[in-house]
Amino acid sequence: MATKDIKIMTEADFRKKIKDSFGGAYLFFGDEDYMKLNDIRLASSLICSEPAFELFNLVKIDATDFSAEALKNAIFTPPMMSDNKLICVTGLDFSEFKTSEIDELCDILSLLPDYDYNTVILCCPADKFD
């Protein structure tokens, strides 16, 4: 993933974008954990609009269950009875990641254009991101 592809957007910009189009990866960081969770709920309601299939189309991975392989498997799995899927990874402490782990995460996220039915949100707690 080239750094030119990385853009910092405000919470308001994210809300506008997610209402218009899905797909891609987002890193939620900052002091307002409530706002990050609120935006995850908004994305979930838009992307997983059919409650009967939310179990298949909303993938939640928390820090204790996170691995590069788990994220890759979630990305490779197509949505069920929907055109889109949301993958939320919460609680990651990037300050504890090794450089090789960050590189591996970036390599996996670079696959998203080939699996454009996915929207991935990496949500860092306020005290876990410098």
Side-chain angles (χ1 to χ4, degrees):
M1 179 182 311
T3 56
K4 67 178 175 149
D5 297 335
I6 298 172
K7 297 177 185 128
I8 295 179
M9 65 174 50
T10 66
E11 185 261 341
D13 291 339
F14 172 78
R15 287 175 157 268
K16 288 178 192 170
K17 182 169 181 354
I18 201 69
K19 287 179 182 177
D20 293 333
S21 65
F22 307 136
Y26 300 90
L27 173 62
F28 286 7
F29 64 94
D31 294 330
E32 300 293 332
D33 286 335
Y34 171 78
M35 294 302 293
K36 291 180 270 188
L37 294 176
N38 194 46
D39 284 341
I40 288 173
R41 280 192 289 275
L42 171 66
S44 177
S45 70
L46 294 170
I47 296 170
C48 305
S49 58
E50 184 61 45
F53 296 105
E54 184 179 72
L55 175 66
F56 304 103
N57 298 324
L58 173 58
V59 178
K60 297 178 182 180
I61 304 171
D62 68 12
T64 57
D65 296 327
F66 177 78
S67 70
E69 194 66 24
L71 179 58
K72 189 186 306 182
N73 289 338
I75 288 171
F76 288 168
T77 306
M80 179 171 288
M81 303 301 285
S82 175
D83 293 332
N84 300 289
K85 186 173 69 176
L86 176 62
I87 303 168
C88 292
V89 182
T90 57
L92 294 180
D93 183 351
F94 284 107
S95 66
E96 293 185 1
F97 275 49
K98 298 175 187 166
T99 302
S100 61
E101 292 171 321
I102 295 287
D103 290 342
E104 186 176 21
L105 176 61
C106 289
D107 288 345
I108 290 168
L109 294 175
S110 73
L111 299 171
L112 285 173
D114 295 331
Y115 300 90
D116 61 354
Y117 48 78
N118 289 298
T119 299
V120 176
I121 296 176
L122 304 169
C123 185
C124 300
D127 60 345
K128 302 289 184 189
F129 189 82
D130 292 325

